Amino acid sequence: MTLKFGVIGTGAIGREHINRITNTLSGGKIVAVTDVNNEAVKSVIDEFQLDAAIFPDDHSVIKDPNVDAVLVTSWGPAHEHSVMAAIEAGKYVFCEKPLAATAEGCQRIVQAEMKQGKRLVQVGFMRRYDSGYVELKRVLDSHDIGEPLMIRCVHRNTSSNENYTSDMAVSDTLIHEIDVLHWLVNDEYQSVQVFFPKKTKHALGHLIDPQIFILETKAGIVIQAEVFVNCNYGYDIQCEVIGEDGVAHLPEVSSVVTRKEGKRSTEILVDWKLRFQDAYDKELQDFMDSIRKTGKPNGPSSWDGYIAAITSDACLKAQQTGEKELIQSVEKPVFYQNTPQLSF
Ligand code: NAI
Ligand code: NAD
Ligand code: ISE
């Protein structure tokens, strides 16, 4: 069975996912597309020679009887509207992060999905499919380094554009760490505080960059997460877990070592699209395969999107107050329990 996708949003990641579904993965086909920017849709149809219908808006894509699953890759604030409509139409949805702009928005999605009675939604938290994070989790779960005590991580981009604002350090960037770190250590967040170091000269006037988030978990693990989106040298994701008996690092991206002109050097990636290429492939292949085999998606759920949003909202509040903000804990409904463990 081929899963027929309708795509909402043909920008940077929309094009990436269209390309991988069309040219790399198996079991999927793009049959419908829309974007608020007509030029973006036309150019994607041409570039990937898609045999797909162009629709004027998200609702008409979702309603198209030819569409089995909706790929939401519009900008974050538009996600909730499209995901809610897809659930109401009983269609599968793969939604890029964030699931919705606020925790309330995510809760509405969770309620709608439970009312439908079937898991339909997967959120694009692709780091859970990244082989480096999966290996790091295996080491932590094996207790090789004992109980985790502290985590230090960085999320750095070479530069940000003029549309990137200080709150997006949380909603667009840190949201990946928010999702993956509690999954990594099987724990929940309890509080967050934000610090603003000296601002880089490379950030535009309106932007606070870098930012440091100190998160504490219920078990007492202290996490220092740096977001620095104008680091000026590359796209760099690091994670170090300090345990009672040792330290575990997220593997570095492998790259050829050259010795030349008195220097030993390795390249650092500059493009986020390349860093998690395999993880993007795996998350979408898993979405298609699990729907075919079990009738529901296997990956990060609306509930994962919701609990990430609760933490994200607390981080946004902490940016404003400068205080330590508590992160509300919520009980997972039975509907979202017994989610199969990813095995990549
Ligand atoms: P983008 O700005 O390149 O593309 C967004 C596209 O959506 C644009 O073409 C825009 O015209 C269109 N759009 C916006 N609202 C729309 C609506 N209501 N209906 C139809 N089209 C609409 O943005 P980008 O970088 O592709 O990001 C899109 C989403 O993907 C964001 O939520 C972002 O957080 C997420 N993302 C996730 C990544 C990941 O690593 N998982 C990486 C990059 C983006
Ligand atoms: P983008 O700006 O390049 O593309 C967004 C596209 O959505 C644009 O073409 C825009 O015209 C369109 N759009 C916006 N609102 C729309 C609407 N209501 N209906 C239809 N189209 C609409 O952005 P992007 O970098 O592709 O990011 C898109 C989403 O993907 C964001 O949520 C972002 O957080 C997420 N993203 C995730 C990752 C990841 O690593 N998982 C990476 C990049 C982006
Ligand atoms: C983008 O939105 C993402 O989600 C990427 O994973 C992230 O690292 C990048 O900085 C964002 O622009």
Side-chain angles (χ1 to χ4, degrees), residues 8-14 34-37 40 58 72-76 78-79 82 96-98 124-126 171-172 176 272 276 280 283:
I8 300 165
T10 54
I13 193 103
T34 190
D35 195 301
V36 288
N37 172 355
D58 57 349
V72 180
T73 46
S74 55
W75 72 312
H79 291 182
S82 303
E96 264 307 336
K97 36 62 61 170
F125 286 137
M126 76 296 176
S171 58
D172 209 53
H176 284 297
W272 57 263
F276 289 108
Y280 295 131
E283 66 174 353

Side-chain angles (χ1 to χ4, degrees), residues 79-290:
H79 291 182
E80 181 184 348
H81 184 263
S82 303
V83 175
M84 286 296 275
I87 293 172
E88 274 152 31
K91 302 228 168 155
Y92 296 108
V93 197
F94 183 95
C95 179
E96 264 307 336
K97 36 62 61 170
L99 177 59
T102 60
E104 287 75 28
C106 292
Q107 198 178 29
R108 283 189 283 274
I109 291 172
V110 161
Q111 295 299 338
E113 190 178 36
M114 289 200 294
K115 195 165 158 219
Q116 258 286 344
K118 178 180 170 189
R119 264 207 64 194
L120 294 169
V121 182
Q122 179 165 329
V123 182
F125 286 137
M126 76 296 176
R127 288 193 187 183
R128 296 188 188 203
Y129 290 86
D130 174 70
S131 55
Y133 277 106
V134 169
E135 188 55 18
L136 184 56
K137 182 164 175 58
R138 192 195 60 72
V139 169
L140 298 177
D141 286 347
S142 72
H143 301 291
D144 233 21
I145 63 160
E147 284 296 310
L149 309 173
M150 294 171 273
I151 302 179
R152 275 206 302 253
C153 51
V154 304
H155 189 149
R156 297 185 188 138
N157 284 63
T158 311
S159 61
S160 60
N161 65 28
E162 66 283 3
N163 298 324
Y164 189 97
T165 47
S166 300
D167 56 325
M168 287 168 76
V170 175
S171 58
D172 209 53
T173 305
L174 184 75
I175 192 93
H176 284 297
E177 274 74 19
I178 290 174
D179 174 66
V180 84
L181 296 178
H182 81 93
W183 167 82
L184 205 54
V185 293
N186 305 309
D187 201 351
E188 286 171 49
Y189 301 115
Q190 180 157 290
S191 68
V192 61
Q193 190 163 14
V194 188
F195 295 87
F196 303 119
K198 184 175 174 181
K199 180 177 162 170
T200 170
K201 66 178 180 190
H202 297 297
L204 294 172
H206 67 276
L207 183 65
I208 303 173
D209 188 41
Q211 301 184 31
I212 307 271
F213 298 83
I214 306 291
L215 290 140
E216 284 172 293
T217 70
K218 290 220 155 56
I221 302 170
V222 175
I223 300 168
Q224 181 187 309
E226 171 199 311
V227 172
F228 187 11
V229 294
N230 289 276
C231 77
N232 210 34
Y233 71 84
Y235 182 67
D236 201 1
I237 303 297
Q238 299 174 19
C239 181
E240 178 189 42
V241 183
I242 300 104
E244 286 172 316
D245 301 325
V247 175
H249 284 259
L250 182 70
E252 287 283 340
V253 177
S254 73
S255 124
V256 170
V257 180
T258 56
R259 288 174 162 79
K260 197 181 163 194
E261 293 169 352
K263 283 198 185 113
R264 185 163 64 89
S265 54
T266 56
E267 264 185 33
I268 295 176
L269 290 178
V270 289
D271 186 350
W272 57 263
K273 297 184 201 79
L274 301 176
R275 171 62 181 84
F276 289 108
Q277 201 166 20
D278 289 348
Y280 295 131
D281 285 350
K282 284 177 181 161
E283 66 174 353
L284 274 166
Q285 190 64 64
D286 188 38
F287 178 73
M288 294 188 278
D289 291 349
S290 56

